[in-house]
Amino acid sequence: MRQIILTGDRPTGRLHVGHYVGSLKERVILQNSGKYDEINIMIADAQALTDNAEHPEKVRQNILQVALDYLAVGIDPEKSCIFIQSMVPELTELTFYYMNLVTVSRVQRNPTVKAEIRQRNFEASIPVGFFCYPISQAADITAFGATAVPVGEDQKPMLEQCREIVRKFNEVYGETLVEPEIVLPSNSACLRLPGIDGKAKMSKSLGNCIYLSDDEETVRKKIMSMYTDPTHLKKSDPGHVEGNPVFTYLDAFCRDEQFAEYLPDYANLDELKEHYQRGGLGDVTVKKFLNSVMQEELRPIRERRAYWEQRKPEVLEILKEGSAKAERRAAATLARVRHAMMIDYFDGDALLH
Ligand code: ATP
Ligand code: MG
């Protein structure tokens, strides 16, 4: 079977280090592994509009920013097809057919949808489009026949729902769609990177992010002002590493060899954690180390971003070509879906018999 990837991001803001460790880094590894026949990376503008209907300018402005972030982390348009969701209208049509295969109560039970409704204070006024976005995500994934979907942990319920839709479709209309597998980061700290304010998830909508496009000084300031352990008031106090985002970021980013370079008193992160838990290690030392580690990772990303920022017309061209290619791919699936559903009325004259 052909190995195909579909993944994407909402253009609701620039991409941050949570996206990087949760999904982007893995995508680049998969892209360069040579194991995939096709890689599709979608800028999910239609999905972004489901909770930003009144702010189309916000979504529009972020299209190019997200594309720049992709190119900055090493997504290569020669190997990966980068496209814009709304430029592939076949996805909307598939969504419409899949809606008949899902019950309202099933979407209501989706834990990510529940959490996001709470987070957006939508309780009494959920836009129907927002409510249906797990179904539209299933359309995106299946339109490309994706076998693998590299995403953060918050997307697990979406993938589960997508797999159910595939099974239901195939059961009702015959074997047509491919069931995808989720690809989660192997490092558990990367599954759901917390915000710099210590909130459970770094998220564009919560404003607690370190952006891939932040300059060196902004990153340093954000790290130095990060939430840590509120019970660790004096350097001599014993501290907690669980639920302390500074240590979660170290779990996500640092490598043993970086201790020799930046903090030679410790051999590895376990030793640093032990000292913090024992007491006698100040937050500033840990934050300065985290800053060195993160700057090392972000520097080449920043440089590639600057390169592409000088070449925006080329980026637009990449998006145009990618969207045209994506549309051809989705149209082939839609034709199969229409045939399976017996709504391919003008395909030959079978309707007459
Ligand atoms: P929004 O607040 O608009 O939903 P977001 O920051 O949640 O934005 P998305 O575009 O919804 O970003 O998510 C894009 C991808 O990044 C998804 O695969 C998601 O799982 C992953 N992701 C987002 N935030 C994090 C995070 N804090 N840690 C790990 N992965 C994340
Ligand atoms: Mg999100």
Side-chain angles (χ1 to χ4, degrees):
M1 188 160 71
R2 278 166 60 75
Q3 298 301 308
I4 299 174
I5 287 178
L6 180 282
T7 182
D9 307 271
R10 294 151 42 93
T12 47
R14 296 172 179 218
L15 298 183
H16 53 64
V17 296
H19 299 119
Y20 181 64
V21 296
S23 174
L24 296 172
K25 206 172 171 177
E26 189 76 30
R27 281 181 218 176
V28 176
I29 294 172
L30 297 177
Q31 167 193 274
N32 297 335
S33 72
K35 287 190 192 141
Y36 289 87
D37 300 296
E38 221 178 77
I39 300 171
N40 303 287
I41 301 185
M42 178 179 83
I43 303 181
D45 66 328
Q47 189 188 119
L49 284 167
T50 64
D51 57 339
N52 287 283
E54 276 104 51
H55 303 287
E57 70 295 339
K58 171 175 153 187
V59 173
R60 186 182 170 89
Q61 277 161 14
N62 282 304
I63 299 271
L64 214 55
Q65 294 305 327
V66 170
L68 287 169
D69 286 328
Y70 284 167
L71 297 165
V73 297
I75 288 172
D76 175 356
E78 297 289 321
K79 296 179 183 160
S80 298
C81 171
I82 306 175
F83 70 98
I84 303 176
Q85 187 181 23
S86 69
M87 296 292 100
V88 183
E90 285 77 0
L91 301 174
T92 328
E93 187 174 334
L94 281 176
T95 306
F96 196 68
Y97 301 141
Y98 293 175
M99 279 179 180
N100 305 328
L101 305 175
V102 183
T103 64
V104 170
S105 67
R106 175 62 184 89
V107 182
Q108 269 165 342
R109 278 202 312 275
N110 183 314
T112 304
V113 173
K114 267 192 192 164
E116 291 184 343
I117 286 173
R118 258 197 315 275
Q119 187 196 326
R120 288 162 177 74
N121 294 321
F122 272 162
E123 278 82 359
S125 55
I126 310 168
V128 174
F130 180 82
F131 188 73
C132 295
Y133 94 73
I135 305 171
S136 116
Q137 234 168 274
D140 304 331
I141 294 168
T142 54
F144 294 89
T147 49
V149 184
V151 283
E153 194 188 28
D154 62 326
Q155 296 300 308
K156 244 177 165 171
M158 302 303 162
L159 258 289
E160 207 30 64
Q161 188 141 29
C162 174
R163 289 163 62 91
E164 278 174 38
I165 291 172
V166 168
R167 288 197 289 268
K168 181 85 182 176
F169 188 100
N170 289 347
E171 184 190 307
V172 176
Y173 302 114
E175 209 55 40
T176 312
L177 303 175
V178 181
E179 232 181 284
E181 299 285 343
I182 190 167
V183 180
L184 292 170
S186 48
N187 178 344
S188 67
C190 301
L191 288 173
R192 188 179 297 238
L193 200 75
I196 53 171
D197 57 358
K199 289 223 174 80
K201 183 174 175 274
M202 181 178 286
S203 165
K204 299 177 217 115
S205 308
L206 295 175
N208 57 3
C209 310
I210 294 177
Y211 292 99
L212 295 172
S213 49
D214 281 344
D215 62 33
E216 190 168 338
E217 185 51 17
T218 307
V219 172
R220 194 190 66 79
K221 278 193 186 138
K222 286 183 178 175
I223 291 175
M224 296 316 285
S225 70
M226 265 175 83
Y227 172 93
T228 57
D229 171 8
T231 68
H232 184 249
L233 295 172
K234 292 198 298 294
K235 185 175 165 181
S236 55
D237 289 338
H240 296 87
V241 297
E242 298 83 26
N244 183 336
V246 177
F247 281 95
T248 311
Y249 287 19
L250 284 174
D251 277 326
F253 283 96
C254 93
R255 287 171 278 114
D256 284 355
E257 60 268 25
Q258 289 173 314
F259 280 91
E261 192 173 348
Y262 303 117
L263 204 58
D265 288 349
Y266 305 87
N268 54 40
L269 188 53
D270 286 340
E271 281 188 15
L272 188 75
K273 283 181 178 174
E274 269 166 37
H275 193 182
Y276 192 80
Q277 285 166 317
R278 234 180 15 249
L281 175 59
D283 282 339
V284 172
T285 306
V286 186
K287 285 179 172 177
K288 278 190 174 160
F289 175 58
L290 176 63
N291 182 54
S292 305
V293 165
M294 289 192 62
Q295 298 288 1
E296 190 180 318
E297 185 105 19
L298 293 175
R299 200 167 298 122
I301 295 177
R302 223 176 266 138
E303 283 165 10
R304 269 196 301 268
R305 204 177 198 281
Y307 170 92
W308 284 104
E309 266 170 3
Q310 302 303 314
R311 290 164 178 78
K312 284 184 180 161
E314 262 179 71
V315 181
L316 186 64
E317 219 32 60
I318 289 170
L319 292 176
K320 259 197 218 168
E321 278 175 26
S323 299
K325 189 191 269 182
E327 183 164 22
R328 286 194 295 277
R329 290 174 175 173
T333 304
L334 182 61
R336 281 201 303 279
V337 162
R338 285 172 150 271
H339 178 73
M341 293 178 70
M342 299 190 289
I343 55 173
D344 55 342
Y345 307 118
F346 300 147
D347 232 1
D349 61 1
L351 197 62
L352 299 175
H353 309 295

